[in-house]
Amino acid sequence: MNFASDNWAGVAPAVMSALARHSTGFAPGYGADPLTASVNETFNDIFEREVAVYFVATGTAANALALASYAKPGGAVFCHRNSHINIDECNCPEFMTSGNKLVGIPGVGCKITPDALRDAMSRFPDGVVMHGQVASVSISQATESGTVYRIGEIEAIAEAAHSRSVPLHMDGARFTNALVTLGCTPAEMTWKSGVDVLSFGGTKNGCWCAEAVVFFDPEKAREFEYFRKRAGHLFSKSRFVAAQFEGYFEDDSWRATAAHSNAMATKLAEGIASMGGRTAWPVEANELFPILKRTQFDDLKAAGAHIYEWPANDVSDNLAPADDEVCFRMVTSFATSDRDVARFLEALA
């Protein structure tokens, strides 16, 4: 019953097979190998246009370096107040952007609204040196609350960002989980909706260590190689990140693994609801945040469930935990089995 994080899962078979397939022989380093070039073309195909792709080791690096590419002196980066870049990245985005300020915006389910964004940006008027400069906007897809921005929501946020002539960044650590939920194309969920730069995550969905920064206008990426090298994220054996992505995309493995983890999360949520429990936010990807009695939570942990208590911030008043209740996080993965789900629900029953 390991629902601690999709980071805890191993490697999907298709990814491991590709790594083994490319593990011998010699190839140029630092991304100059044929496999990296081939995978870059796959990214072009997936996003239906020429994109600039840069491999990095972690999602934190992808986010921080993407934002660094658009940093300004006295810059302000707008995001949800509970976003990963604001809470969980040890101030790395601020560090990599040479001190740009992260401005947290409230919103139910870790989603910001265009009106809230415009209001926050209005406090940084153009041309007023005392207030600094609006530099970029960042959203997470799927969010840290397991919710998913709809296409229209992304478009509206992009319009607000672009009204101030700044880019929209998408933290796609669970990109494919959101993609499967929406049933749209990668292009529709990104550049066609106004996204300028994407942190494309593979690690949480079955890769060993594969993250990428994707620029939808290659001209905007001209200096990114310097940012990446200076930050220590230029792989010498880049082909082994490329190999992971090759296996990831092969035969639509990436969509299959995400669809499975989403289905397991939905099954858990339905089972919890059938026993009188509830979730803090809608279950729209592979994360869920049940609210149960603290005694139930303690009993589940004692039975061997790997789960974490979670702050119930930005929860609607009618769903907020009572004094004797606790909100906790559960994350499913490609490796979550029906038996894992059944054991958890049996323990809860």
Side-chain angles (χ1 to χ4, degrees):
M1 295 188 290
N2 198 319
F3 302 108
S5 175
D6 37 13
N7 283 331
W8 285 37
V11 180
V15 173
M16 201 66 231
S17 176
L19 275 167
R21 186 164 64 243
H22 294 287
S23 64
T24 59
F26 294 84
Y30 303 107
D33 59 283
L35 180 57
T36 295
S38 173
V39 168
N40 286 346
E41 285 300 319
T42 301
F43 272 94
N44 291 341
D45 293 341
I46 285 169
F47 287 104
E48 303 172 37
R49 66 180 295 168
E50 183 183 354
V51 296
V53 182
Y54 299 92
F55 302 154
V56 295
T58 69
T60 294
N63 291 335
L65 291 173
L67 295 171
S69 298
Y70 294 96
K72 297 178 180 179
V77 178
F78 297 84
C79 57
H80 192 277
R81 65 185 180 186
N82 295 326
S83 64
H84 205 270
I85 63 172
N86 198 36
I87 300 296
D88 298 296
E89 296 187 348
C90 195
N91 300 332
C92 187
E94 292 94 327
F95 178 76
M96 292 296 185
T97 57
S98 298
N100 276 206
K101 178 184 181 71
L102 266 61
V103 180
I105 303 171
V108 175
C110 269
K111 292 166 74 171
I112 62 174
T113 65
D115 288 343
L117 174 59
R118 290 181 189 274
D119 179 65
M121 291 192 299
S122 72
R123 298 194 290 274
F124 295 77
D126 291 332
V128 180
V129 70
M130 299 297 184
H131 299 303
Q133 304 183 80
V134 174
S136 57
V137 176
S138 179
I139 60 173
S140 300
Q141 182 74 325
T143 74
E144 290 74 17
S145 291
T147 56
V148 171
Y149 284 97
R150 269 49 189 178
I151 296 297
E153 293 174 313
I154 299 171
E155 291 173 338
I157 292 169
E159 182 181 356
H162 296 161
S163 73
R164 294 295 297 274
S165 301
V166 298
L168 176 60
H169 164 255
M170 177 179 282
D171 175 354
R174 295 185 174 92
F175 180 88
T176 316
N177 298 94
L179 189 72
V180 167
T181 295
L182 294 183
C184 63
T185 68
E188 289 168 340
M189 201 171 78
T190 53
W191 64 270
K192 287 186 177 181
S193 296
V195 175
D196 298 283
V197 60
L198 166 69
S199 298
F200 184 93
T203 305
K204 294 181 186 298
N205 191 34
C207 288
W208 166 64
C209 174
E211 308 286 321
V213 179
V214 181
F215 290 87
F216 297 106
D217 180 357
E219 286 296 310
K220 301 293 185 182
R222 285 190 169 189
E223 295 186 352
F224 188 82
E225 289 191 26
Y226 294 95
F227 286 112
R228 181 175 63 167
K229 176 61 176 176
R230 186 178 65 178
H233 280 270
L234 175 59
F235 288 95
S236 61
K237 292 186 178 181
S238 176
R239 71 185 187 274
F240 293 118
V241 182
Q244 292 175 72
F245 278 128
E246 182 185 73
Y248 189 61
F249 294 133
E250 202 167 54
D251 298 325
D252 264 352
S253 173
W254 60 312
R255 295 177 190 267
T257 49
H260 174 80
S261 58
N262 285 7
M264 294 295 99
T266 298
K267 194 170 184 178
L268 279 166
E270 290 172 347
I272 291 167
S274 72
M275 288 181 251
R278 64 189 188 280
T279 56
W281 303 283
V283 180
E284 297 178 342
N286 67 318
E287 292 182 282
L288 62 155
F289 298 83
I291 297 174
L292 296 172
K293 298 291 186 183
R294 179 166 289 280
T295 53
Q296 293 174 299
F297 174 76
D298 292 339
D299 287 345
L300 287 165
K301 292 195 72 173
H306 291 275
I307 50 180
Y308 286 113
E309 189 168 346
W310 202 260
N313 298 325
D314 299 310
V315 178
S316 301
D317 291 341
N318 62 318
L319 293 174
D323 290 342
D324 62 344
E325 292 180 321
V326 60
C327 177
F328 60 98
R329 188 181 83 153
M330 302 178 70
V331 189
T332 55
S333 73
F334 77 92
T336 302
S337 68
D338 286 317
R339 178 57 183 154
D340 295 329
V341 172
R343 285 183 61 205
F344 180 90
L345 295 176
E346 287 165 8
L348 177 59

